[in-house]
Structure formats: structure tokens, C-alpha cells
Amino acid sequence: MTKVDRRVRRTRRRLRDALIALILEKEYDNITIQQITDAADLSRATFYLHYKDKDELLASSLEEMFDELMDSVKDLMLRREIDINLDAPPSLPVFNHVAEYADLYKSLMGDKGVSSVINRILNYIAKIAEQQYHLLVPEDERDALAVPIAVAARHMAGSMFAMVSWWLDNEMPHTPHEMASYFHLMTVPVMRSAIGSPPVSAPSEAQS
């Protein structure tokens, strides 16, 4: 079973790497299954053993990348308190990740054919935000919140996606740390408002 699992992971990684390489060369809409399998040196039959179409491959590939990212930074991203600490804003790993794969995300966000995949990205970010809210709010207090957690999490996901889109569209004029700090400064008060916690002021320059 371990050998099978390892072989499956290796095959999926080859398909994922082939798709990403092709996206960097041409528009996603123009990529065919045959081109993906040729680049991965695999058969079409092998492709269909794992995915029903290229949209599923892309969505799965992005989610795997996000999962790997979250596994490496979950202690930083998911915490039981929220504060404004600009030395290590929790979203910094996300902006570092986007910077590392900037060409890929620019291509995807500029392609009208991947709207369904973009929605999957938003849902993924919202899922992480919901986990953060669940850490902050005891289960017996959630029904009394001014804003339902699902709504607050979607707002957080939309804000991050909008900031990343603007950042990429404008050739990343700020560093990942600056973008994470801006996102943190804007979203901490929103999170506190959603869960009924008093706002906390950002530290002054004299304190930093």
C-alpha cells in the first residue's frame, strides 16, 4: 500500500509540474490533456485514472500547494489570540508563497477560463479563516456573534484575494512583509469587531 501511495503521489506531482510549466508558456484555456500528458511523459489513460479534466488537476494542484504551505506555517497562521504584531504578521507566509509563484498566479488570475478555480481558492482561504475564528470563539458563544463566522471568513478571504490580485497586477510594488503588515492592520480590527472583542490600536512608531 505504501508503494502504491508513493507511486500515486509521484504521478500526480508529475502531472502538476507539467501543468504549471505549460501555464507559464501559454494561456490555460489553450492547454490540452494531451499536452499535459506529453509534458509529464504519461499516457492519457493514466491522467484519467487520477483526474476527470484539467480543471480538477489545477484545483487539486493548487490545494496541494496550499496544504503544503499551511502544514509548514499552521502554528503561525492559526492562533488563539489576535494582536497587531507587525514583526511577524500571520499572513506573511501567504504573501511569500505568492511572490515565489508570482508568474503562475499572474497567469491564472488574468485568464478568464479559470473563474471556477479562483472560486476554489477563495473557498480554501475562507476555510482557513473559519478555523481561526473557531479558535477565537468558544462554540457556545458562536450563535450570539454579530457576524456569522462563515460570513466573516468569506469577507477575510475576499480581502486577501483582492490585495493579492492588486499586488500582482501592479508588479508587486511592496515587499511580502509590507503587504502582510497592511493586511494584518486592516483585518485585525475587523476580526475583533466580528467577534465582539474591543479593538486594539496599532503600535506607534515610537514603540516599534
Side-chain angles (χ1 to χ4, degrees):
M1 182 64 71
T2 301
K3 287 184 178 179
V4 172
D5 290 344
R6 191 179 301 128
R7 188 160 58 243
V8 167
R9 288 197 300 271
R10 188 162 56 243
T11 298
R12 290 185 175 182
R13 175 59 69 96
R14 286 169 65 179
L15 290 168
R16 166 177 136 182
D17 291 347
L19 177 60
I20 290 174
L22 287 167
I23 289 173
L24 297 178
E25 293 177 8
K26 59 183 71 182
E27 290 186 5
Y28 174 79
D29 241 8
N30 296 329
I31 297 172
T32 66
I33 301 296
Q34 189 64 57
Q35 290 171 335
I36 296 170
T37 54
D38 286 347
D41 195 22
L42 295 167
S43 69
R44 288 173 63 92
T46 299
F47 178 95
Y48 288 114
L49 281 175
H50 298 274
Y51 305 103
K52 66 179 182 180
D53 53 32
K54 67 177 183 178
D55 286 351
E56 185 176 30
L57 168 60
L58 178 57
S60 174
S61 298
L62 290 175
E63 288 178 357
E64 286 173 6
M65 290 166 64
F66 297 152
D67 284 339
E68 291 167 5
L69 171 67
M70 286 305 302
D71 283 343
S72 66
V73 300
K74 58 186 176 183
D75 289 341
L76 174 63
M77 295 288 290
L78 299 174
R79 300 183 296 176
R80 292 186 178 277
E81 72 283 332
I82 48 175
D83 57 14
I84 298 181
N85 175 8
L86 300 186
D87 291 332
S91 60
L92 178 57
V94 174
F95 285 98
N96 281 332
H97 169 82
V98 171
E100 181 180 357
Y101 294 98
D103 290 341
L104 171 64
Y105 287 116
K106 283 180 183 179
S107 176
L108 291 176
M109 290 180 178
D111 196 319
K112 295 178 181 178
V114 294
S115 59
S116 62
V117 175
I118 289 175
N119 195 52
R120 291 280 289 268
I121 295 174
L122 284 168
N123 287 338
Y124 188 95
I125 298 171
K127 181 178 70 175
I128 300 302
E130 282 198 39
Q131 292 178 28
Q132 176 66 78
Y133 278 114
H134 286 161
L135 286 174
L136 296 169
V137 183
E139 186 173 359
D140 60 354
E141 297 179 11
R142 292 172 193 167
D143 289 341
L145 292 176
V147 180
I149 284 179
V151 174
R154 192 71 185 191
H155 175 272
M156 186 79 66
S159 296
M160 174 169 283
F161 189 84
M163 285 187 67
V164 167
S165 297
W166 175 89
W167 191 41
L168 292 172
D169 286 345
N170 288 276
E171 304 300 329
M172 298 187 291
H174 305 286
T175 67
H177 192 279
E178 287 172 336
M179 290 298 293
S181 296
Y182 301 150
F183 180 75
H184 199 50
L185 282 170
M186 290 187 288
T187 55
V188 165
V190 172
M191 291 182 73
R192 289 185 173 277
S193 176
I195 65 176
S197 179
V200 173
S201 300
S204 65
E205 290 188 5
Q207 293 174 308
S208 58

